[in-house]
Amino acid sequence: MLRILALIGDKWSILVIGQLRDQTLRFSQLHRAVTGISQRMLTLTLRQLERDGLLTRTVHPSVPPRVDYALTQLGSTLLDSMVALGEWATTHRQEINDNRRRYDAAVSPRSQP
């Protein structure tokens, strides 16, 4: 169970699944859409999500080859939970930022000699 939670809790997996929510995308489209992800990390993330059955990889015989990625039915079942988590983060973002500032201000003097 912990391995599965670690996978779906991974920020790159969540961002990739979110991008595939409403559409099928090619690798280059995903790479542009998921800000900050390297090509290697995107490749690893896509392979793991495909391995787990959360997305499909379809290779079209063309020159150059075209590869499309889409969520599976199983992958789509994660969307409601991801939306709820995103809404929670948006609702509590300011409170969390305020808590971080208070904590950092209280800890900062302690860490100085």
Side-chain angles (χ1 to χ4, degrees), residues 6-18:
L7 166 72
I8 60 174
D10 172 76
K11 75 175 179 177
W12 299 125
S13 296
I14 290 171
L15 293 172
V16 167
I17 290 168

Side-chain angles (χ1 to χ4, degrees), residues 1-10 13-14 17 48-49 51-52 54 74 78:
M1 181 175 89
L2 291 177
R3 286 184 179 163
I4 294 170
L5 289 175
L7 166 72
I8 60 174
D10 172 76
S13 296
I14 290 171
I17 290 168
Q48 187 62 54
L49 292 171
R51 179 177 181 240
D52 292 339
L54 300 176
L74 179 61
L78 279 173

Side-chain angles (χ1 to χ4, degrees), residues 6 18 25 38 54 68 76 82 87-88 91 100 105-106 109:
L25 293 172
S38 68
L54 300 176
D68 292 327
S76 294
M82 287 176 46
E87 289 171 353
W88 181 89
T91 299
R100 287 176 176 177

Side-chain angles (χ1 to χ4, degrees), residues 16-78:
V16 167
I17 290 168
Q19 289 300 319
L20 294 171
R21 173 184 56 232
D22 298 320
Q23 59 192 334
T24 297
L25 293 172
R26 297 172 71 179
F27 183 91
S28 59
Q29 293 172 308
L30 276 167
H31 190 244
R32 282 191 300 273
V34 180
T35 306
I37 194 169
S38 68
Q39 286 187 356
R40 174 151 171 71
M41 183 54 68
L42 179 56
T43 298
L44 293 173
T45 300
L46 291 169
R47 283 182 187 158
Q48 187 62 54
L49 292 171
E50 181 182 12
R51 179 177 181 240
D52 292 339
L54 300 176
L55 63 79
T56 59
R57 178 181 185 267
T58 305
V59 180
H60 301 278
S62 61
V63 177
R66 184 177 129 199
V67 180
D68 292 327
Y69 296 92
L71 285 183
T72 62
Q73 184 67 31
L74 179 61
S76 294
T77 63
L78 279 173

